[in-house]
Amino acid sequence: MTSPTKRSILFPLVALLLIGGGCAKTPTTAVRDASAPVPAPPKETGNVVEHSLVAKKTTVELKPGLSTEAWAYNETVPGPEIRATLGDRVKITFKNELDEPSTIHWHGIRVPAAMDGVPMVSQEPVPPGGTFTYEFLPPDAGTYFYHSHVRVDEQVDRGLYGAFVVEPSEKATMRDGVFALDDWLLDAKGARLPTTASEPELAIDNVLDVVSEAATASRGHAGHMMADGSMMMGGMGSGGMMNHMIPAEINGRFGNVVTVNGRANGFVAPIVLARGERFLARFLNASNAMTHELKSSDGRAFAVVAVDGIALSAPYVTDRLILPPAKRFDVVLEATNGKDWALAGGTGKRAIRIPIKIEGETETVAMPSSGVAPAMPDLRAAKPDATFQVETDSMMNATSWVVNGRPYDMEGENPVLATFARGTWVKMRFENASPMAHTMHVHGHFMRVITRNGQRVDANTSEDTVVMRPMETMDVVMLADNPGDWVMHCHNLDHEEHGLMANFKVE
Ligand code: C2O
Ligand code: CU
């Protein structure tokens, strides 16, 4: 074995930039192709990963002297990390010890519809004292998460979420870890404050762009990516003013304590790396509404290798990560020199810092291999198969969000807004007729953004959650290959719970 040389450390970042330059090709199949390659299901390993998750009230300590009543899986926030290898079956017994119904949703994992955990759509809500067994074979390796899908603005807010990692079949050459960011709205004693006491959001909490464009590797440095956002939301522009006329429950709950893996700023456990080591950091944003920003404290670059669990065909290199709600980013950190550094972001009460400490020395391992994005037909010129228009019910006195004119009824029947033929690539148009950004999430499928306001987007990744900017029209393509009844909704949990959800069907 050779010791790491300077070259072996520097090469990958250069290589990534080069790969990136030539990789923004768009497939040219101009017709809908029902025989388009459906990702093959993984080969079963025969292993069954079993967990039992009990939802109940508990007290968690966010830092010394600050404890709060949480609703948690197995009394920890985040809940236990679930790890499986691609090809393993997963069997989770859920027991609900809350005073109200609940379910678990496996965010981003393309599970069968009956296992998806959406009350009234996939299953009956699990009553207090009840149990439900979720069983499925995760079809894609990557970073996912699980969370309650009932009254999410309270249940997830209070802590009912956890990380779910599907490891690839080939043994990883680098260590990895999950970093779940969250924010809490608490009084000085740690009591949860109502959403109406929400702190005003900052520009970055609401816009948060970046995601699809960031995946275009030719734009190597992410620094410019807030440009559009700052233009729209900076100062008292079109967005900033409007937002404050929308009540907090509708606008989103922005907290005053930020945590990583349940620990508040100043008490976040450091990542300990050996000099020369590469480490796969899996970031997940479990916040209700807040977008988090993390920057290298010393400006050093890192490579983003996967978004929403799915490996990028061309990773990109940046020194800044912007994490909208519900999204996951897998990042390779490199201890290229012997110096400690940190990933840090936010200001004031929202500041957060993940320290990185160097101890000892090791060999530098190869970068993980990149994914191959499935070929997809070019539907930019096609007319959309479905249009979802998002706005508030009233500009002057908003009480809910509406999709195609209708707020979602959490307890009742809802119309199916679109039915897609199984196995087809469909084009969905999202029209944001509101002055706020929305993080649109589809269940059971991945999407790829193809245009924003008619402008071509060369994203090279598939995402389960995409940010739609204020007043933007966004076209996405999706392979409708997972049969059943599904929902799509905004992952700002306060938007979701106040109507911004719709049903669709694949048959
Ligand atoms: Cu992570 Cu329907 O949600
Ligand atoms: Cu929204």
Side-chain angles (χ1 to χ4, degrees):
M1 295 268 223
T2 53
S3 64
T5 63
K6 198 171 177 197
R7 187 160 176 241
S8 71
I9 294 164
L10 290 179
F11 170 73
L13 292 186
V14 175
L16 289 177
L17 289 169
L18 292 176
I19 295 166
C23 225
K25 279 195 205 96
T26 304
T28 48
T29 334
V31 289
R32 176 168 310 183
D33 178 5
S35 67
V38 177
K43 237 176 92 208
E44 291 211 35
T45 59
N47 293 338
V48 183
V49 172
E50 289 192 60
H51 281 271
S52 100
L53 294 176
V54 181
K56 64 186 281 194
K57 292 182 186 172
T58 187
T59 299
V60 294
E61 187 188 59
L62 303 180
K63 63 178 181 186
L66 185 69
S67 292
T68 190
E69 187 196 86
W71 299 1
Y73 296 114
N74 300 7
E75 301 193 60
T76 66
V77 180
E81 184 176 303
I82 297 174
R83 281 218 176 220
T85 299
L86 193 62
D88 291 351
R89 291 209 146 262
V90 176
K91 187 174 174 187
I92 285 131
T93 316
F94 170 52
K95 174 126 207 275
N96 182 10
E97 290 185 5
L98 302 170
D99 303 329
E100 59 181 53
S102 193
T103 59
I104 306 180
H105 169 58
W106 314 95
H107 183 115
I109 305 177
R110 299 181 301 120
V111 299
M115 294 292 124
D116 197 46
V118 179
M120 320 308 287
V121 175
S122 354
Q123 67 171 107
E124 292 291 312
V126 181
T131 61
F132 188 89
T133 302
Y134 295 93
E135 202 176 333
F136 52 88
L137 183 76
D140 309 288
T143 308
Y144 301 97
F145 84 117
Y146 62 93
H147 59 75
S148 155
H149 218 285
V150 175
R151 295 208 318 113
V152 291
D153 59 340
E154 179 150 17
Q155 291 196 6
V156 181
D157 180 44
R158 286 181 178 268
L160 287 168
Y161 67 86
F164 194 125
V165 173
V166 184
E167 297 180 352
S169 324
E170 328 84 62
K171 261 265 154 270
T173 50
M174 60 184 82
R175 295 190 300 138
D176 74 302
V178 179
F179 303 88
L181 281 78
D182 194 6
D183 68 300
W184 307 70
L185 183 60
L186 306 175
D187 71 13
K189 292 193 177 116
R192 180 177 181 265
L193 292 168
T195 303
T196 46
S198 185
E199 305 270 312
E201 81 281 11
L202 308 169
I204 191 172
D205 296 330
N206 188 17
V207 179
L208 347 168
D209 194 348
V210 300
V211 179
S212 301
E213 288 83 350
T216 303
S218 54
R219 303 184 194 178
H221 195 272
H224 73 287
M225 278 182 252
M226 284 306 288
D228 291 344
S230 331
M231 247 161 49
M232 299 201 67
M233 302 306 293
M236 290 321 266
S238 57
M241 281 269 248
M242 292 299 296
N243 293 345
H244 297 289
M245 295 161 64
I246 300 178
E249 317 81 276
I250 305 298
N251 193 20
R253 201 283 278 135
F254 296 90
N256 52 14
V257 177
V258 177
T259 54
V260 177
N261 292 344
R263 299 296 283 169
N265 195 34
F267 298 87
V268 176
I271 304 174
V272 180
L273 301 182
R275 178 178 179 158
E277 181 170 8
R278 289 207 179 101
F279 179 85
L280 184 67
R282 304 168 181 273
F283 291 102
L284 136 66
N285 183 357
S287 279
N288 290 34
M290 191 182 287
T291 290
H292 299 280
E293 178 187 24
L294 291 173
K295 286 184 80 160
S296 283
S297 58
D298 62 359
R300 83 174 72 189
F302 48 80
V304 179
V305 295
V307 175
D308 288 355
I310 300 299
L312 300 180
S313 51
Y316 67 96
V317 176
T318 181
D319 67 351
R320 179 182 190 226
L321 199 60
I322 294 183
L323 277 157
K327 288 198 69 75
R328 289 89 60 214
F329 290 82
D330 293 3
V331 160
V332 176
L333 303 175
E334 296 197 49
T336 47
N337 60 35
K339 299 205 179 77
D340 295 352
W341 84 103
L343 293 171
T347 53
K349 288 178 283 193
R350 303 213 183 141
I352 191 73
R353 184 177 180 89
I354 305 173
I356 305 168
K357 296 223 168 313
I358 309 302
E359 279 174 15
E361 194 157 339
T362 191
E363 284 185 40
T364 301
V365 298
M367 291 287 290
S369 52
S370 303
V372 178
M376 137 192 116
D378 184 353
L379 298 182
R380 273 173 295 142
K383 96 177 204 325
D385 298 283
T387 298
F388 302 93
Q389 201 203 39
V390 172
E391 59 194 324
T392 48
D393 57 350
S394 142
M395 279 318 255
M396 291 327 288
N397 182 24
T399 57
S400 72
W401 292 96
V402 296
V403 180
N404 294 3
R406 194 178 188 285
Y408 199 85
D409 178 354
M410 287 295 171
E411 261 121 52
E413 290 283 307
N414 290 280
V416 174
L417 288 197
T419 299
F420 303 125
R422 185 180 181 188
T424 54
W425 286 91
V426 298
K427 174 173 172 178
M428 302 193 294
R429 173 162 293 171
F430 295 101
E431 285 176 2
N432 187 359
S434 80
M436 298 195 61
H438 300 286
T439 44
M440 298 305 298
H441 170 50
V442 293
H443 281 221
H445 298 81
F446 284 102
M447 306 175 271
R448 190 168 309 178
V449 180
I450 52 171
T451 65
R452 289 182 184 269
N453 290 335
Q455 298 289 305
R456 168 185 181 145
V457 171
D458 289 319
N460 73 352
T461 188
S462 303
E463 302 170 74
D464 58 59
T465 307
V466 294
V467 176
M468 178 166 65
R469 295 179 209 135
M471 305 307 293
E472 184 175 57
T473 292
M474 178 178 79
D475 287 347
V476 307
V477 292
M478 179 182 92
L479 179 61
D481 65 342
N482 201 350
D485 289 299
W486 303 101
V487 291
M488 63 173 73
H489 58 82
C490 180
H491 223 288
N492 174 319
L493 302 180
D494 306 282
H495 294 189
E496 175 183 354
E497 205 54 38
H498 288 85
L500 211 169
M501 173 131 82
N503 289 354
F504 72 100
K505 192 189 220 13
V506 176
E507 61 177 25

